[in-house]
Amino acid sequence: MKTFLRVVLILSVFIGCSKKDEFVNNPGATDLHNKPVGASAHDLLASSKYTSLKIEVQYMSGFQPDAAALNHLQTVLSGLLNKPAGITIVTKEIPAVSNTTLSIDDIAQIEKNNRTAFTSGAELAVYVLYTNGTYSDNNVLGVAYKNTSVALFGKKIQDNSGGIGQASRTKLVATVVEHELGHLMGLVDLGSPMQTNHKDASHGNHCNNSNCLMYYASETSDILGFLITGNIPSLDANCVADLHANGGQ
């Protein structure tokens, strides 16, 4: 029987602001990190400009992301990206926010106030924010909102994983963060041109293969049920082909 993967609680793609506001910690990084989702897909995938990648994961107090999920992320990226000097993931705790229902503008402001890892020399930097709250659309678990920026909504993830009869926390966190970074890598048709048409026209920049990591569906209970017994989903052949053609392994 075919398994239908309902990916991940409206894993939406957001286009970053064109306004050139400055990061507090590194104003000079503005132009490199305030671009639309997918704009840095080739730089992420290829080694021609950047030979290493640093992923800065900042989490709010009490919401440290699952370590096994981050290890899985590093393994997956090592098989997709051409980064001969390596991929590193660093974590840092930041203060929780009092308003736990967050908009894209709220998330961007938190990043602006706290991000410390920026692209420099031959090292590309990506920012992952793990919040203590939920998104303004309560079904959403994660968003990609700029070319090197994604956010995961920790309370929503914790409420729906790790308990009796719930999905594994490792599986859920890994699925969400890997899906969102897939958007930064240009999937689907978002900076990495399709080699074969596999875009789900009804759901934006997502794959039409229901078993692919980049598949989109809004039924939240389906992904949670799948992850109770199924494995962390992977990219299908069409998504991998798109990444390979844009400089990936």
Side-chain angles (χ1 to χ4, degrees), residues 92-131:
K92 180 182 179 181
E93 182 175 333
I94 62 174
V97 293
S98 56
N99 178 13
T100 56
T101 302
L102 301 170
S103 67
I104 288 295
D105 288 343
D106 295 329
I107 296 163
Q109 186 63 48
I110 293 167
E111 177 186 6
K112 178 179 176 181
N113 292 342
N114 293 280
R115 180 171 180 165
T116 63
F118 297 93
T119 297
S120 178
E123 183 173 72
L124 184 66
V126 164
Y127 180 76
V128 177
L129 174 65
Y130 198 91
T131 78

Side-chain angles (χ1 to χ4, degrees), residues 141-171:
L141 280 182
V143 293
Y145 59 97
K146 284 189 288 189
N147 60 313
T148 65
S149 305
V150 305
L152 280 66
F153 299 97
K155 186 176 189 305
K156 190 72 176 179
I157 289 172
Q158 289 196 12
D159 287 348
N160 287 280
S161 64
I164 297 174
Q166 291 184 322
S168 153
R169 181 74 46 78
T170 297
K171 291 180 182 179

